[in-house]
Amino acid sequence: MPGNVGEATVNMSKFSGKMSVIIPSYRPDGKLIEVVRKLREKGFGDIILVDDGSGDEFRQIFGEVSLFPEVTVLTHQENRGKGSALKTAFGYCIRERSECNGVITVDGDDQHHIEDIMACCARLQEKPDHVILGARDFGAKEVPFRSRFGNILTRGIFRIACGIQITDTQTGLRAIPACYLRDMMEIEGNRYEYETNMLLEMKARGIPFEEVEIRTIYLNENNSSHFNPLKDSFRIYYTIFTFAGSAAASSSIDLFLFYLATGLLTRMKPEGAWNIAAAAIAARAGSSLFNYHINRRKVFGRGNRSSAVRYYMLCVLQLAVSVGIVSGISFLFPTGNFGKTLIKALADIILFLISYQIQREWVFQEA
C-alpha cells in the first residue's frame, strides 16, 4: 500500500495560488457547499466547479457557491458525463490558468477528506512531474460490496493485461501537473470510463504516477454516486476487452485457415513438417492483416510504419515458435489435421499472453 495517511502540511504560500481544484458535479446536494467551504478554509484560491447539466432545480446550490470569490462555475447545458466535465475544466485551465502549477480533481460528495486533498498536493510539490493518485483501502469494512468487487476485478485486469499495478483504480482524487493537461484532453471517453482510460494512457505515454494512501469514506453506502454498475462498467472494460476480442477473432481466422491449408497441402504432398510450416504461414498471413489493423485502430489507438515493422517481426518469431511446437508434438505423437489444429490452438493461447505484453510495451509504444 502507498504512503500513510497523515496530517499533511502544505505550504500554501509556496503554491502562490497556482493550484486549481476541479470539482465535476451532477445534481449535487448540500455536501458540495461543505466541500467548497473546507477547501476555502485551507487556502485554496481557485476552485472550478463544472455543473454537468444538473438542471434548474439545482441552480440554487451552484448559485450559492458561485458567490465565493474563489469559485468559478462552468456549465454544461445537458448531462455529458464526468469525463466530459473534467475535460471542460482542463481546457478552461489551459486557456485561463496558464500560470497554474497543476490541478487536483475532487469529488463533490464530501468523500475526500480535506487532509487527504492536502496530502496529494504536498506530494505533488515533492514530485512535480508525477500524477498523484489518492488510494483508498478497499479491504475496509465500510466499503460497499459493489465498489470492493469492482476495484478487485479492475485492479486484477490492469495488472495482468496492462502491466499496471494500481491500488485504487476508481479514485477521483488526482493531482495532475499542468504540463500533462493537454495529454489529458486527448484521452477518449466522456463518462466514468474516462478515468480508467486516463490510467491506461498514462502508462502508454510514459507519464509517471504515484499513489498516496487516503481515508476510505463512504456515506450512506455511496448512494450519492451516479455510477451505473452495468452501463459504466461496460464502458470501463471496453478498451481492455477489445484486445481479447481482437485476439479471439484473429485466432479463429488463423485456425480456420490453418485447418483448410493442412487439408489441402496433405493431398498435394506427403505429410510432414513442411506442410505444417506452409499452412501456418498461409494462415498467419491472412489473420495478421486483420489483427494488426484492429490492434492499431481499436486497441492501442496508435501505430505507424515502424510499428508495422515491429509487429511483423514479432509475427514471424511467434509463427516460428508455433510451427516448432506443433511440428515437434506432431512428430512425437502423430495426429490428423484436427489434432494439429488443436495443438496449435493451445500453443497460440500461451503465445497470445506473451504477445500482448510485447505489443503493449514495444510494438505499439510511442517513441
Side-chain angles (χ1 to χ4, degrees):
M1 188 71 181
N4 296 325
V5 176
E7 294 296 313
T9 56
V10 179
N11 182 359
M12 295 306 294
S13 63
K14 185 175 181 179
F15 276 108
S16 301
K18 294 183 179 180
M19 195 72 185
S20 298
V21 180
I22 294 174
I23 307 176
S25 185
Y26 176 61
R27 297 186 173 183
D29 55 23
K31 298 187 188 74
L32 177 62
I33 300 174
E34 183 66 12
V35 170
V36 172
R37 182 188 65 78
K38 292 176 181 177
L39 290 168
R40 294 179 67 243
E41 288 177 353
K42 287 296 183 179
F44 287 98
D46 186 34
I47 303 170
I48 301 170
L49 300 181
V50 182
D51 173 8
D52 187 28
S54 300
D56 292 341
E57 59 185 299
F58 297 90
R59 188 169 298 172
Q60 180 178 349
I61 293 178
F62 288 106
E64 186 172 341
V65 294
S66 68
L67 296 176
F68 297 124
E70 301 90 345
V71 174
T72 300
V73 178
L74 308 177
T75 303
H76 290 169
Q77 294 305 312
E78 58 184 25
N79 178 247
R80 290 159 51 184
K82 187 177 183 182
S84 182
L86 288 172
K87 285 189 275 191
T88 291
F90 294 158
Y92 178 82
C93 288
I94 292 172
R95 296 189 307 272
E96 306 294 336
R97 301 290 189 269
S98 58
E99 76 287 354
C100 78
N101 292 328
V103 304
I104 181 162
T105 64
V106 176
D107 291 342
D109 54 7
D110 204 23
Q111 295 195 38
H112 293 146
H113 196 283
I114 187 61
E115 294 299 335
D116 293 330
I117 297 172
M118 302 289 285
C120 289
C121 287
R123 188 61 58 87
L124 185 62
Q125 278 188 293
E126 296 169 2
K127 296 193 173 182
D129 62 336
H130 281 57
V131 171
I132 308 301
L133 307 173
R136 296 162 293 179
D137 178 10
F138 279 83
K141 61 181 181 179
E142 63 268 27
V143 178
F145 173 77
R146 68 172 182 172
S147 297
R148 181 184 295 112
F149 176 78
N151 185 73
I152 291 173
L153 179 61
T154 308
R155 186 172 61 188
I157 292 174
F158 264 63
R159 186 166 187 175
I160 295 172
C162 307
I164 308 175
Q165 187 168 351
I166 293 180
T167 304
D168 185 354
T169 61
Q170 304 168 33
T171 181
L173 180 56
R174 307 178 182 199
I176 305 171
C179 60
Y180 298 136
L181 290 183
R182 292 190 183 277
D183 289 279
M184 300 303 168
M185 290 286 293
E186 296 172 358
I187 297 173
E188 294 185 358
N190 292 319
R191 298 189 179 274
Y192 284 99
E193 81 279 7
Y194 172 74
E195 291 182 307
T196 301
N197 291 345
M198 184 190 295
L199 301 178
L200 294 171
E201 281 297 313
M202 279 166 28
K203 168 72 173 179
R205 294 169 185 248
I207 297 175
F209 66 88
E210 183 170 314
E211 292 185 302
V212 171
E213 183 180 350
I214 64 174
R215 295 163 179 81
T216 305
I217 303 174
Y218 280 96
L219 305 175
N220 299 321
E221 288 292 309
N222 206 27
N223 289 332
S224 62
S225 174
H226 297 287
F227 182 83
N228 184 307
L230 294 178
K231 183 170 64 176
D232 292 313
S233 292
F234 175 80
R235 292 193 182 100
I236 287 172
Y237 299 133
Y238 173 80
T239 301
I240 297 172
F241 288 144
T242 299
F243 181 86
S246 168
S250 301
S251 179
S252 297
I253 295 171
D254 190 69
L255 293 173
F256 177 70
L257 293 176
F258 178 80
Y259 179 78
L260 291 180
T262 51
L264 178 62
L265 292 170
T266 299
R267 296 190 195 99
M268 297 172 57
K269 190 177 180 66
E271 186 173 344
W274 182 90
N275 300 58
I276 294 174
I281 291 171
R284 189 56 56 89
S287 64
S288 64
L289 291 174
F290 171 84
N291 184 249
Y292 175 76
H293 175 76
I294 295 297
N295 286 357
R296 184 170 70 90
R297 297 284 186 180
K298 301 295 184 182
V299 180
F300 299 102
R302 54 188 177 272
N304 49 34
R305 184 176 299 177
S306 61
S307 69
V309 172
R310 290 193 294 266
Y311 176 86
Y312 278 99
M313 288 173 62
L314 175 63
C315 188
V316 170
L317 178 61
Q318 189 174 346
L319 175 63
V321 174
S322 179
V323 168
I325 293 173
V326 177
S327 298
I329 295 177
S330 298
F331 176 77
L332 295 174
F333 306 98
T335 182
N337 297 338
F338 180 78
K340 294 186 183 71
T341 304
L342 180 60
I343 295 169
K344 185 177 187 301
L346 296 175
D348 286 351
I349 289 174
I350 298 173
L351 294 174
F352 153 74
L353 297 174
I354 300 172
S355 172
Y356 175 77
Q357 307 292 329
I358 298 174
Q359 287 188 49
R360 186 194 68 223
E361 300 293 341
W362 181 59
V363 173
F364 292 101
Q365 186 62 266
E366 292 182 335

